[in-house]
Amino acid sequence: MIEAKSPAAGPRAEPEVSTAVRGVTLRSLIIAAILVPANAYWVAMTETVWYAGFPTTISLFYNVIAILVAITLINSIVRRFAPGVALSHGELLVIYTVLCLTSAMVSHDMLQVLVPIMTYCYEYARPENEWAGLFLDYVPRWLTVDGTVPAFLGGGFSKAPVSMMWEGGTTLYRSDILRAWIVPAGMWTLFLTLLYGSTLGLNTIFRRRWIEAERLTFPIIQLPLTFTQPGTWLVREKLFWTVLAVIFSIDVLNGLHVYYPQVPQIPLTSQATPAFNIGAKIVDHPWNALAWGSPLWLGIYPVALGLCLLLPTELAFSCWFFFFVFKIMRVLANSWGIHLPEGPPYIEEQSFAGYVGLAAFSVWASRSYLKGVWLAVLGRPGALDDSQEPMRYRTAVIWLVGGFFACVIFGWKAGMSLGYALAFFFIYIVLTLAVSRIRAEMGLPAHDLHHAGPGVMLERIVGTANISPQGRTATELFSWFNRAYRAHPAPHQIEGFKLAERTGMSTRPLAWVMLLAIPLGALASFWALLHFMYSKGVAAQFFEPKVPAIFGSEPWNRLTAVIQNPKSENPASSVAIGFGFVATLAMMALKMRVSWWPIHPAGYAVSSSWAMGYLWMPMLMAWAAKSLVTRYGGNKAFRSVVPVAFGLIMGDMAGGCFWSVYQLIAKATLAPYCIWGK
């Protein structure tokens, strides 16, 4: 379950803990605060306007790595001539952590989804879709923008805050637009602070267990941790630079091919040639079901391959193994004439249950430890010492429980029943624990769980007919942070604690910095997204497929469908969830008790996702490579794979940054790079 050697240990690995202890300093906070809006601007431009790059759809955000590399290079020059002025290792990693958390706010799975939802239902309400009579009366105005300005801000009504967001040609910095957005943006910022203050408390509770007791490997942080270390072995590693140069050159060549088709390309991804999409080529019944759900694409995806090489071997195997297990399930269902998108074999329910099972097992395995935490909360004998924790356990529990119930009140005020809101946010916290655990132990390149969050699962279990129209409306309004979990902020919080442990930083000030980063990132995200939406117009100058319009339409179209065609509870969904939960616990028990058992249940949880359609081949390649290297060369030979992994990641990220900067300077109308292929 836990590898004996950290996968990031290089050929000349550095000591486990460096001598740097400075982390949260005034200058590191000032630098981070300056970079946050610039970073939000970059991500908003790349992912929403250009529909390219998608740095926040993979666990290691390449926009943050690019900024970190630039700061580190500048810092190395400063250290050479004025060592007393240079930033410490800890300060660099504080900046990295803040940028990760704020990037999560502006990401493709967070506020990029919310912002268009907040106006879409008003802009596109038509007599023919009957939205006015179906649900508009249930939409809370304090969480959406219909053009009304609150009385305490001067009052009034204008269509501009809604219509001009889609048409463009104006500016965010108009009085009527700004005043219409202040309350909804402020309320969502408060909500995010409470929600991820709650997860910060959760991660604080599990910090010692995962980092110090179990010593989980945290593969995602290994590259930034290694690269920013003074005198790191990585800059002297020829293999790293060779792989980086090759991958960067391929990205540049393939980008040139987009602009000039006569330039040859080196196809590494499924988008490079249609022949790489296996699912689209299989049209015979029942095998055409291979294209259902996640696609079946052939592609290397260098950054994904690099991250997969850092995974535990058993996890890489489990992911591609269960990917094909789910494909076989769909083929069998198709052969039996079952074509329902939400019917057998209930893949989404099984994956959801896999996440819940992982969270439940993590709690059960930590029961003695959690008893010590609870005794510390009560101030009883036998309690764990929390003097060195990011916050006292009592404070952490207050944040966890208080933030949870505050979010429940948000849901209740938005239209959910109190019981439904309790179930909704409890499930979200459970999924958060599972995602944080998966990242800490295994460092998956992506963990999306598309459209299988608490709202979807509750509606399938209890039936939309048994939920009030107000409750269904609120469910869709809260669907944006449950659409997918690729950029979930919580894993970055626990990874920040691990970075502090590796560099000798104090975690207490870091915890409060991470808490403050949430509202800072939310406000910067609202600003950057709205800046582009009002100046360019989502329906005007955004690149196809104008993804904010898709995000904005999804919840309201779903809501229309469930109101017009309500469904009763589905016992089969509950059975599938129960089966997946038991199967996950059984596989985990086998993993703990049978040393040779090759399957990790995390693969069962994550392998039905959209991202796995891209990742299955890198997973297969990484598993084969690591298995061969470790079998015939041992751990010493495996350590030589680490520079290759880092070179693949950095080379592909460098290619993405190169074309992003080129687009910005040249104002190009084509996007030549995407982390998932182009």
Side-chain angles (χ1 to χ4, degrees), residues 277-296:
N277 188 346
I278 300 175
K281 299 297 180 182
I282 302 175
V283 296
D284 294 332
H285 180 84
W287 299 101
N288 59 327
L290 290 170
W292 296 359
S294 54
L296 185 59

Side-chain angles (χ1 to χ4, degrees), residues 193-202 391 394-404 512 515:
T193 305
L194 294 168
L195 182 62
Y196 295 114
S198 178
T199 65
L200 184 64
L202 182 69
M391 58 183 78
R394 184 174 298 171
T395 305
V397 169
I398 289 172
W399 268 106
L400 172 59
V401 177
F404 169 79
W512 296 109
L515 180 62

